[in-house]
Amino acid sequence: MADPVLTFTDRGIYCPAADVFIDPWKPVDRALITHGHADHARPGMGRYLATAGAAPVMRHRLGDIRIETVAYGETRRIGDASISFHPAGHVPGSAQIRVEVGGEIWVVSGDYKVAPDGLSDPFEPVRCHAFITECTFGLPVFRWDSQDAVAMQINDWWRGNAAEGRATILGAYALGKAQRLLSAIDASMGPILTHGAVENTNEVLRAQGLPLPDTIRVTPELNPKDHPGALVLATPSALGTAWARRFGPASTGFASGWMALRGVRRRRAADRGFVLSDHADWEGLNTAIAETGAERIFATHGYIQIFRRWLESRGYDAAIVETQYEGETLDPDPAEAP
Ligand SMILES: [Zn+2]
Ligand SMILES: [Zn+2]
């Protein structure tokens, strides 16, 4: 019997026909990378292949790496496999990786989000026989409002804080969520200050042509009094620290899919929780899986046990795969980790 198109090893997802790994977590010679978050793009690979949109952040994070880029939809022949990258809608440059060997097609989706965010290329369903999926928010309780609706909640909160002389501190991941918020909120309402990790990513993404409003980097010399009514975009780990206290009286908010769960917000030292995720919600996961037409589903991270049983009840051939990928973590920030 021929090898399966992909196998699951202790170093990562492996394609025997091409002799490449996808998002490996241990050093390998040749790695195909879905996107720049730290749990998917790790240091130490001999060679990297990623989309042109993901490469700048990877270079920024991983330093001097040997990386080749592809455009979405471009097919590469590697060994006996045809490999192409397709938009995952998760963060700018993020991709699902399609691997075809002898007419059989498997797709590794990495992390994905079905709803468009205005910055990332929108998720594109890819027909396949086997689909490897996350299920970070694989419970029916997770249902996302539209990005516009969440942006309006944030605008109202910011306006109220500014009127009462408080700073507005919003925690969000430095890669993806922060830029999505920047482009969705009403940036004309006041100055926007950014944590260094957020601003570093902003600079990388601006340089590749993504339209982001003007922001001011928070440096040790910055005097918050010079920026009354500001919105401060912080990393999750900066909330509740001395870094955040310098802004004086403030209201603190956190934007995450986990804010849909009561109790999580309380533990985050946040006054306000905004339900916004770069991962698919329950409906998004189910829609995405149905649109692939796949019969075999592998769940990599999230509510994998429950989600597998759900898929089996729907008639899928579903399995769980042990990986080192993380979904939306509350802390630490996946873009800050090494
Ligand atoms: Zn990710
Ligand atoms: Zn991830």
Side-chain angles (χ1 to χ4, degrees), residues 35-37 52-63 92 175 201 204-205 208 335:
H35 67 288
H37 278 151
V57 160
M58 288 173 59
R59 284 200 191 93
H60 165 70
R61 284 202 31 252
L62 302 175
L175 167 58
T201 312
V204 173
L205 295 180
Q208 65 190 86

Side-chain angles (χ1 to χ4, degrees), residues 35 37 39-40 90-91 111 279 326 334:
H35 67 288
H37 278 151
D39 53 322
H40 299 263
H90 170 59
V91 297
D111 293 333
H279 298 260
E326 289 167 1

Side-chain angles (χ1 to χ4, degrees), residues 105-247:
I105 300 159
W106 289 39
V107 169
V108 178
S109 53
D111 293 333
Y112 64 95
K113 161 169 107 281
V114 178
D117 63 17
L119 279 182
S120 315
D121 285 79
F123 178 86
E124 176 191 303
V126 181
R127 302 286 297 178
C128 56
H129 300 99
F131 186 59
I132 294 151
T133 181
E134 60 147 322
C135 51
T136 303
F137 294 109
L139 292 179
V141 67
F142 296 108
R143 268 181 196 282
W144 309 150
D145 282 339
S146 76
Q147 177 169 297
D148 285 350
V150 177
M152 276 184 3
Q153 293 167 14
I154 294 172
N155 290 339
D156 288 347
W157 170 60
W158 180 12
R159 193 178 296 111
N161 291 333
E164 290 170 25
R166 283 190 301 262
T168 298
I169 305 180
L170 180 58
Y173 293 145
L175 167 58
K177 187 78 60 65
Q179 292 77 31
R180 192 181 164 193
L181 287 166
L182 272 175
S183 70
I185 58 173
D186 181 359
S188 71
M189 282 174 45
I192 300 174
L193 310 181
T194 47
H195 185 281
V198 170
E199 194 54 30
N200 289 344
T201 312
N202 289 351
E203 284 175 358
V204 173
L205 295 180
R206 279 192 190 106
Q208 65 190 86
L210 286 168
L212 297 175
D214 290 340
T215 50
I216 301 162
R217 179 190 289 267
V218 175
T219 59
E221 298 74 39
L222 179 130
N223 184 352
K225 292 199 173 65
D226 296 340
H227 307 282
L231 173 77
V232 183
L233 260 186
T235 57
S237 49
L239 297 183
T241 65
W243 186 91
R245 284 192 289 277
R246 80 171 74 185
F247 300 102

Side-chain angles (χ1 to χ4, degrees), residues 248-282:
S251 180
T252 298
F254 193 68
S256 165
W258 295 113
M259 293 299 124
L261 296 183
R262 233 196 310 238
V264 172
R265 194 177 77 225
R266 261 180 283 131
R267 294 200 295 273
R268 278 306 314 185
D271 306 311
R272 289 289 302 269
F274 299 99
V275 183
L276 190 76
S277 178
D278 296 330
H279 298 260
D281 65 0
W282 170 255

Side-chain angles (χ1 to χ4, degrees), residues 250-329:
S251 180
T252 298
F254 193 68
S256 165
W258 295 113
M259 293 299 124
L261 296 183
R262 233 196 310 238
V264 172
R265 194 177 77 225
R266 261 180 283 131
R267 294 200 295 273
R268 278 306 314 185
D271 306 311
R272 289 289 302 269
F274 299 99
V275 183
L276 190 76
S277 178
D278 296 330
H279 298 260
D281 65 0
W282 170 255
E283 201 182 305
L285 289 169
N286 282 285
T287 308
I289 289 167
E291 285 183 331
T292 64
E295 288 169 3
R296 294 180 74 185
I297 310 293
F298 295 88
T300 54
H301 55 301
Y303 293 99
I304 49 179
Q305 307 280 0
I306 297 168
F307 200 64
R308 183 195 58 182
R309 282 198 293 276
W310 160 253
L311 291 171
E312 281 173 346
S313 78
R314 308 286 290 178
Y316 288 101
D317 175 1
I320 289 170
V321 183
E322 286 292 327
T323 68
Q324 294 187 14
Y325 309 135
E326 289 167 1
E328 184 157 314
T329 55

